[in-house]
């Protein structure tokens, strides 16, 4: 269906490809961008892959919290992969062009895994609320079947969101300029190139991506306020453990959603800082998330040590 729509749009549009200006046009700075973001991307892959493998192989990390953390790390990996590899390769090229169909694919994957991450963060907040506020019923409420269904709903919700982005993009006619002053294809910079009034499309963008960011942020902050308030009835040891987990989640929520709110909840205007803010939540956040969750989570650190120890022992036995 998407391929037919893309083919139809290509026939109706004069523009079949776009030129990405990237972060910089300076040859020396482009080399720095290549080295820096290659290291960032490799760090993202290493950190998130380590969490994924640790959770999958450790029996101690079988609770719903780590079930959702597994999918958060998976979303981070795919989210970064939808942007970083092309950005890194483009830093080595003189002319950076992207076809209309490749642009559509990047928009879909970027928004799919971005929305997936937001919904997983909401599920993690629900999990913490049940664990702290309803401890006696926790395992019966957050059982394996319920968690799997919630993740499946998150996948469907992400697909719906990214599909809306695609339909909005395909509704735009491009008949002249094809230079995108960015390092990625997204609906926001594409609106500036459309040869039509984009007021309605921008409103739909704000009501879709912008609303998801704002509503999710408000819900998550409110839920953690409720959770933290309920901790007053717990023991000092219980408060310390729950507080450590909740603070990790709150940091991740702020790092990911606040930049998204800035980008997607305003009219079609660009600021010099836009690219760096986008870099922060597309490249920086997926890199920082593994550090935040491992440094503040004793169970994950212990599981990683055991996994590493088993690997060293198995290598020595060979």
């Amino acid at each position: 269906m998407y391929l037919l729509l893309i083919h139809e749009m290509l026939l109706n549009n004069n523009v079949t490809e776009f030129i990405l200006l990237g972060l910089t046009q300076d040859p020396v700075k482009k080399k720095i961008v290549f080295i820096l973001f290659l290291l960032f991307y490799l760090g993202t892959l290493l950190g998130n892959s380590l969490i994924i493998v640790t959770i999958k192989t450790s029996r101690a990390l079988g609770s719903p919290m780590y079930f959702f953390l597994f999918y958060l790390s998976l979303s981070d990996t795919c989210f970064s992969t939808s942007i970083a590899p092309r950005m890194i390769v483009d830093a080595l090229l003189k002319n950076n062009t992207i076809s209309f169909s490749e642009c559509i694919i990047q928009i879909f994957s970027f928004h799919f895994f971005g929305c997936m991450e937001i919904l997983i963060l909401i599920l993690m907040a629900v999990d913490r609320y049940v664990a702290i506020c309803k401890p006696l019923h926790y395992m019966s409420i957050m059982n394996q079947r319920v968690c799997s269904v919630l993740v499946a709903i998150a996948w469907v919700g992400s697909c719906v969101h990214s599909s809306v982005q695609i339909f909005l993009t395909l509704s735009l006619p491009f008949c002249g300029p094809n230079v995108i002053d960015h390092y990625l294809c997204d609906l926001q910079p594409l609106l500036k190139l459309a040869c039509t009034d984009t007021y309605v499309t921008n409103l739909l963008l704000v009501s879709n991506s912008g609303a998801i960011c704002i509503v999710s942020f408000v819900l998550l902050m409110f839920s953690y306020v409720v959770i933290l308030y309920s901790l007053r009835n717990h023991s000092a040891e219980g408060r310390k453990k729950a507080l450590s987990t909740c603070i990790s989640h709150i940091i991740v929520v702020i790092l990911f959603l606040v930049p998204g709110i800035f980008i997607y909840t305003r009219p079609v205007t660009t600021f010099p800082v836009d690219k760096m803010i986008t870099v922060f939540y597309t490249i920086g956040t997926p890199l920082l998330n593994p550090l935040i969750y491992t440094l503040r989570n004793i169970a994950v650190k212990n599981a990683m040590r055991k996994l590493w120890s088993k690997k060293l022992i198995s290598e020595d036995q060979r």
Side-chain angles (χ1 to χ4, degrees):
M1 184 179 178
Y2 283 144
L3 293 176
L4 290 174
L5 285 170
I6 292 170
H7 180 67
E8 184 180 344
M9 288 302 300
L10 286 173
L11 293 176
N12 296 332
N13 274 318
N14 294 329
V15 176
T16 58
E17 65 179 16
F18 298 101
I19 299 171
L20 297 172
L21 294 184
L23 289 175
T24 179
Q25 290 296 297
D26 184 271
V28 176
K29 290 181 180 178
K30 287 180 79 170
K31 290 178 182 177
I32 296 173
V33 167
F34 170 77
I35 296 170
L36 199 60
F37 287 96
L38 177 61
L39 293 175
F40 286 168
Y41 180 57
L42 292 176
T44 299
L45 291 181
L46 178 63
N48 285 290
S49 297
L50 189 56
I51 288 180
I52 289 170
V53 172
T54 301
I55 292 174
K56 271 297 179 184
T57 57
S58 175
R59 293 181 181 178
L61 304 180
S63 69
M65 182 177 76
Y66 300 110
F67 177 80
F68 293 131
L69 180 58
F70 170 87
Y71 281 101
L72 182 69
S73 294
L74 183 63
S75 299
D76 270 335
T77 303
C78 297
F79 181 66
S80 183
T81 300
S82 69
I83 302 296
R86 184 177 186 93
M87 177 188 180
I88 293 165
V89 172
D90 284 349
L92 295 176
L93 303 176
K94 188 175 182 180
N95 297 316
N96 306 326
T97 60
I98 183 170
S99 68
F100 191 88
S101 57
E102 288 174 330
C103 183
I104 292 296
I105 291 169
Q106 187 175 66
I107 291 172
F108 183 87
S109 58
F110 169 64
H111 281 274
F112 179 87
F113 292 110
C115 184
M116 182 69 179
E117 181 158 349
I118 292 172
L119 295 178
I120 293 297
L121 287 171
I122 292 174
L123 295 182
M124 292 176 80
V126 172
D127 172 70
R128 288 301 84 203
Y129 171 80
V130 177
I132 293 170
C133 300
K134 310 279 185 180
L136 298 178
H137 305 285
Y138 176 62
M139 292 312 298
S140 61
I141 295 174
M142 301 300 293
N143 58 60
Q144 185 65 38
R145 184 173 177 274
V146 170
C147 292
S148 298
V149 170
L150 290 174
V151 170
I153 292 172
W155 280 92
V156 173
S158 302
C159 188
V160 171
H161 164 70
S162 50
S163 296
V164 171
Q165 298 295 111
I166 296 302
F167 286 122
L168 289 176
T169 305
L170 293 174
S171 68
L172 297 173
F174 301 100
C175 50
N178 69 333
V179 179
I180 300 175
D181 187 14
H182 218 300
Y183 64 88
L184 55 79
C185 255
D186 198 8
L187 189 53
Q188 194 80 348
L190 285 176
L191 287 175
K192 294 186 66 179
L193 303 181
C195 50
T196 186
D197 183 14
T198 59
Y199 178 76
V200 175
T201 306
N202 187 65
L203 282 180
L204 293 173
L205 173 65
V206 171
S207 64
N208 184 18
S209 298
I212 287 174
C213 291
I214 292 176
V215 173
S216 299
F217 182 77
V218 172
L219 284 175
L220 285 164
M221 288 297 103
F222 178 75
S223 67
Y224 282 116
V225 167
V226 173
I227 290 170
L228 293 174
Y229 180 74
S230 68
L231 288 177
R232 73 191 192 284
N233 298 322
H234 289 64
S235 64
E237 182 67 24
R239 279 200 303 269
K240 183 179 178 182
K241 185 178 179 181
L243 191 62
S244 176
T245 303
C246 288
I247 287 175
S248 298
H249 293 183
I250 292 169
I251 292 171
V252 171
V253 167
I254 292 172
L255 290 178
F256 192 71
L257 286 178
V258 171
I261 291 171
F262 178 80
I263 295 294
Y264 292 110
T265 57
R266 66 171 201 252
V268 188
T269 53
T270 56
F271 300 107
V273 75
D274 282 357
K275 288 184 185 180
M276 294 313 300
I277 289 176
T278 307
V279 164
F280 183 76
Y281 77 88
T282 58
I283 307 295
T285 304
L287 175 66
L288 293 173
N289 282 357
L291 294 175
I292 293 169
Y293 282 110
T294 53
L295 291 176
R296 299 190 63 86
N297 193 303
I298 296 173
V300 174
K301 285 192 287 187
N302 289 339
M304 284 183 176
R305 288 193 193 101
K306 288 179 181 178
L307 179 66
W308 188 252
S309 298
K310 287 180 182 178
K311 185 179 178 181
L312 291 176
I313 291 170
S314 62
E315 287 179 354
D316 289 340
Q317 289 175 346
R318 291 177 189 175

